[in-house]
Amino acid sequence: MIKVAMTGVYVDDVALAHAFYTDVLGFETRTRMDLGGGTLFVTVGAPEGAQPDLQLLLEPGEGPVAEPYRRALYEAGIPCIVFSVGDLAAEYERLTGRGVRFTHEPQRQGPVLAAVFDDTCGNLVQLVQPKE
């Protein structure tokens, strides 16, 4: 059986992204290594043992591949990643209370309720909750 172990998100600044994804969104640090020369290797994951074998790699977003890719997604309004939540309304309130800027407020989109926010690191991120 094949499972997803890690996926990455290109970010403007790994250290700032690490702070946002942990302090604001509530992820936990799984790996934080200084590789030297100002390069950090950072992974985060869902807190409290949820999805223990799945990590999100916060990857440096500069370079000839990453920069145009991120810019194109952002300008088109396309989220770079989708996170699921149990209660979108509560998560929206919690995050707006922490200063997160949503580009799309919670709304129905097919089989889910969805909202999109700016992660302050060069990306749009979507939150989804299955419809009841």
Side-chain angles (χ1 to χ4, degrees):
M1 168 175 62
I2 297 174
K3 301 186 317 181
V4 176
M6 184 182 301
T7 189
V9 172
Y10 292 117
V11 296
D12 291 336
D13 181 301
V14 173
L16 291 177
H18 184 214
F20 179 83
Y21 278 75
T22 55
D23 297 344
V24 177
L25 297 185
F27 284 95
E28 66 183 19
T29 302
R30 299 280 175 83
T31 306
R32 186 178 192 287
M33 296 174 16
D34 187 340
L35 301 177
T39 302
L40 291 175
F41 180 87
V42 176
T43 68
V44 297
E48 301 170 12
Q51 298 179 305
D53 58 347
L54 180 59
Q55 298 180 72
L56 178 63
L57 173 61
L58 303 175
E59 298 191 69
E62 61 274 350
V65 173
E67 286 179 17
Y69 170 75
R70 289 184 333 128
R71 186 174 36 257
L73 284 178
Y74 196 92
E75 289 173 359
I78 299 172
C80 70
I81 195 162
V82 178
F83 298 134
S84 65
V85 296
D87 183 342
L88 182 59
E91 204 58 37
Y92 175 80
E93 290 302 317
R94 181 182 79 83
L95 293 176
T96 54
R98 292 175 159 252
V100 173
R101 185 180 69 81
F102 279 80
T103 60
H104 295 343
E105 295 181 0
Q107 58 189 284
R108 291 194 180 275
Q109 291 183 342
V112 298
L113 299 174
V116 177
F117 66 86
D118 185 316
D119 76 352
T120 73
C121 307
N123 302 296
L124 297 176
V125 174
Q126 187 173 44
L127 298 178
V128 297
Q129 173 192 340
K131 283 201 266 185
E132 297 178 2

